[in-house]
Amino acid sequence: MDVEKVFHMNGGLGANSYAQNSSLQKKASDMVKHITLKTLEETYISTTPTSLGIADLGCSSGQNTLSTIREMVEAIDQIAGKLPKTPPPEFRIHLNDLPTNDFNAVFKILPDFHQSLNNQRGNRSFKHDSSVYIAGYPGTFYGRLFPDKCLHFIYSSYGLHWLSKVPPGIYDNNGKSINKDSLYISKSSSPQVSKAYFDQFQEDFSLFLRSRSKEVLTGGRMVLILLGRRDRNHVDRGNSFLWELLARSFATLVFQGEVEQEKVDGYDSHFYAASREELEEEVKKDGSFEIELLEMFEIERNSGGYMSHGTAVARTVRAIQESMISHHFGEEILDNLFETYGKLIDEEMGIEDIKPISFIIVLRKL
């Protein structure tokens, strides 16, 4: 399966869209928003460019993308207003995601976004004559996207745990997966599976760093938010366990006769939850960036509201994984699959909390 041609968040504004089911990601980005904005402010103050280049890698679609951009513009406007004889810069905003992303959903709301932003900026106590230019840049961030030294700041929220492809090392000489009954690394996975996923992570993350090192100006910064794991053990009651529960959900459909086991055996994820040590090692090996901050944090479970935590997680995962699953299995299994998945999560949460962890990394270009 060609991930670049198939994988995308659910577009539009429907019940299963990413726009309607990304509140958990929004909650996480808000938890570390103070770090993101402080890093952007420090980058601006140290360079005070008249034209500020910002890229959002893995922007997806929906309001989350533009709300982050709004906060960035507001933060720099306020800083510029406090600096003597320093008008706000113009903003060059580069929105990046895979070509299959629903960029149209973003572009359709840009006129209202610009009008709202300009009204808000016009109400400030200082004058501004800067503009906000926003463009879409389709393509994988595992490779070059932008011209040399054109960016001051890169932001990526929950994109870098997705690999460029399913690791080829999990297939035998006949093209069959050796990772039976699992969608990701599990207790039953062989060491070869763990190594294959780690090798693919190393290849992808090192390429990401090399590519960005050409595009970011010296002193520029990157803020990266991604899922991870606590230690070198690949299997934990966090992100890997959520994949295990999804595999159990598929097993239920096999038992019910809705899916063939052979079809499930041929489906594997292109995901990797890196550890702190693995991230640090790759940054050190590349040598283009300095780690200014690397912190781990947890997203609190969904409480209250009209749906359970399990349902909220299942709807979020569906909005992300539906393109891949429907391509491999067909759309007819989706409702039953994710209803089962949500129930399994709630059952397990009643026994013991599931605690997926995330990292926020701040990198400065040397």
Side-chain angles (χ1 to χ4, degrees), residues 152-287:
H152 299 87
F153 187 79
I154 285 178
Y155 176 74
S156 180
S157 180
Y158 290 102
L160 276 163
H161 44 253
W162 298 111
L163 301 173
S164 64
K165 58 186 174 184
V166 177
I170 68 169
Y171 300 109
D172 62 21
N173 293 333
N174 297 316
K176 300 290 186 180
S177 175
I178 63 172
N179 198 27
K180 304 295 184 182
D181 302 320
S182 299
L183 306 178
Y184 178 56
I185 306 169
S186 67
K187 292 178 181 178
S188 62
S189 299
S190 68
Q192 182 181 342
V193 171
S194 298
K195 183 179 185 303
Y197 272 96
F198 176 58
D199 288 347
Q200 190 61 51
F201 158 75
Q202 286 186 305
E203 178 183 322
D204 285 346
F205 196 61
S206 63
L207 179 56
F208 175 86
L209 293 173
R210 288 199 308 273
S211 301
R212 303 295 82 76
S213 70
K214 303 292 186 181
E215 300 163 352
V216 178
L217 289 152
T218 300
R221 288 175 173 83
M222 296 198 293
V223 172
L224 313 176
I225 305 170
L226 67 162
L227 295 171
R229 66 184 198 276
R230 288 176 171 78
D231 52 42
R232 291 191 178 274
N233 185 0
H234 284 96
V235 179
D236 61 9
R237 197 174 173 85
N239 292 304
S240 66
F241 190 66
L242 288 174
W243 283 105
E244 180 182 328
L245 293 181
L246 187 56
R248 288 190 206 171
S249 302
F250 274 112
T252 299
L253 267 61
V254 171
F255 178 77
Q256 294 171 347
E258 293 191 31
V259 178
E260 295 179 0
Q261 182 63 50
E262 183 180 359
K263 202 75 170 165
V264 176
D265 290 341
Y267 186 76
D268 295 279
S269 68
H270 66 292
F271 171 90
Y272 187 75
S275 68
R276 176 191 298 269
E277 291 78 15
E278 289 168 350
L279 292 166
E280 290 173 337
E281 288 167 5
E282 291 307 310
V283 173
K284 185 177 181 180
K285 278 196 299 185
D286 175 79

Side-chain angles (χ1 to χ4, degrees), residues 295-316:
E295 290 187 0
M296 181 180 74
F297 65 98
E298 295 178 3
I299 308 173
E300 295 180 1
R301 73 158 76 183
N302 185 58
S303 58
Y306 66 93
M307 70 176 72
S308 69
H309 179 72
T311 300
V313 172
R315 292 184 64 170
T316 298

Side-chain angles (χ1 to χ4, degrees), residues 56-71:
D56 183 343
L57 306 186
C59 66
S60 189
S61 60
Q63 293 293 339
N64 282 5
T65 295
L66 295 183
S67 67
T68 300
I69 298 304
R70 179 191 299 276
E71 289 164 351

Side-chain angles (χ1 to χ4, degrees), residues 15-85:
N16 295 316
S17 67
Y18 185 80
Q20 298 294 332
N21 296 284
S22 52
S23 61
L24 294 176
Q25 293 91 326
K26 174 63 173 167
K27 181 186 292 187
S29 62
D30 283 348
M31 287 175 64
V32 293
K33 179 172 64 177
H34 62 290
I35 296 174
T36 300
L37 296 182
K38 180 182 177 183
T39 303
L40 175 61
E41 291 166 1
E42 290 175 348
T43 303
Y44 173 71
I45 290 171
S46 65
T47 56
T48 57
T50 57
S51 181
L52 183 63
I54 298 173
D56 183 343
L57 306 186
C59 66
S60 189
S61 60
Q63 293 293 339
N64 282 5
T65 295
L66 295 183
S67 67
T68 300
I69 298 304
R70 179 191 299 276
E71 289 164 351
M72 290 181 179
V73 172
E74 290 175 350
I76 297 304
D77 275 353
Q78 291 179 12
I79 291 295
K82 297 175 184 177
L83 298 176
K85 300 180 180 179

